[in-house]
Amino acid sequence: NYVVAYDAEKAAACPQDETCPMSAFTDLNPALWYHDGIHFCLENGMMVGVGDNKFSPNGTTSRGMIVTILYRLENEPEITAENPFSDVEDGKWYTDAVIWAAENKIVDGYGNGKFGPNDPITREQLAAILYRYAQFKGVDVSIGEDTNTLDFPDAGECSGWSVSAVQWAVGSIIINGKDGKLVPKGDASRAEAATMLQRFCENIAE
């Protein structure tokens, strides 16, 4: 019952030419660091372009989009719970996904009855959602207990609720750091989100 498995050998074998799914987008360079993540997410339908043959690798990723990706990975199970968030309207493309994620303790919103589906997701928020999703999938997340993130000069900027998740994400090599920093409160770009999703699938499929 695992999510889509990541095949590192297959990714390494990509000739990065017109056969690469990234070639359909005019703003992507297959030779850059984000190739494996974006290739994987495009190939598996986890992410799509933003229109006009653009992917927008440096654009932000919304909280609703990340939760929708995970909901798709679960084959969009039927929703039976009530919507706990006042700012998640009925009938939106992310509505069922957010309700599913809340029911399964993968998200808990901002603590004031709001979820902020259109807000850009931060790196620590994305780590926390993947951490809870891993637990939902029955994955052993204990590596985070033995991971020291204090080597990163901005480790102290992590919110209290995200510390365990960030430690797990670093220990699982889902977060590698950004110019030697964690940048926990920085928005996760679409390229960063794709890479974290790829590394997550690589990690939990083992």
Side-chain angles (χ1 to χ4, degrees), residues 52-73:
D52 196 28
N53 300 116
K54 297 282 200 302
F55 183 84
S56 186
N58 299 317
T60 57
T61 316
S62 74
R63 288 165 54 81
M65 175 51 69
I66 290 296
V67 172
T68 299
I69 289 171
L70 300 184
Y71 183 57
R72 288 175 186 157
L73 288 175

Side-chain angles (χ1 to χ4, degrees), residues 96-173:
D96 285 355
V98 174
I99 295 172
W100 163 80
E103 180 183 16
N104 290 289
K105 308 287 192 295
I106 296 166
V107 302
D108 55 12
Y110 291 138
N112 56 358
K114 296 188 182 300
F115 178 73
N118 297 311
D119 293 350
I121 195 164
T122 64
R123 288 163 58 84
E124 66 177 358
Q125 287 171 2
L126 181 49
I129 287 174
L130 291 178
Y131 178 64
R132 295 185 198 125
Y133 181 58
Q135 292 172 308
F136 166 75
K137 298 297 286 183
V139 175
D140 181 2
V141 296
S142 62
I143 190 171
E145 298 169 11
D146 300 318
T147 300
N148 181 4
T149 56
L150 296 180
D151 289 342
F152 294 96
D154 59 346
E157 295 177 15
C158 292
S159 302
W161 51 263
S162 78
V163 171
S164 294
V166 171
Q167 288 177 321
W168 164 80
V170 171
S172 302
I173 320 177

Side-chain angles (χ1 to χ4, degrees), residues 7-71:
D7 188 334
E9 289 185 11
K10 182 179 178 182
C14 176
Q16 300 182 5
D17 57 14
E18 66 276 359
T19 63
C20 177
M22 289 172 55
S23 66
F25 302 96
T26 59
D27 59 347
L28 291 179
N29 180 349
L32 293 183
W33 62 271
Y34 52 58
H35 170 268
D36 290 6
I38 294 179
H39 180 141
F40 174 74
C41 286
L42 289 172
E43 189 172 53
N44 290 289
M46 295 164 68
M47 296 180 78
V48 296
V50 297
D52 196 28
N53 300 116
K54 297 282 200 302
F55 183 84
S56 186
N58 299 317
T60 57
T61 316
S62 74
R63 288 165 54 81
M65 175 51 69
I66 290 296
V67 172
T68 299
I69 289 171
L70 300 184
Y71 183 57

Side-chain angles (χ1 to χ4, degrees), residues 169-185:
V170 171
S172 302
I173 320 177
I174 292 169
I175 289 180
N176 272 347
K178 188 173 180 178
D179 297 325
K181 295 183 178 181
L182 289 171
V183 198
K185 291 182 167 53

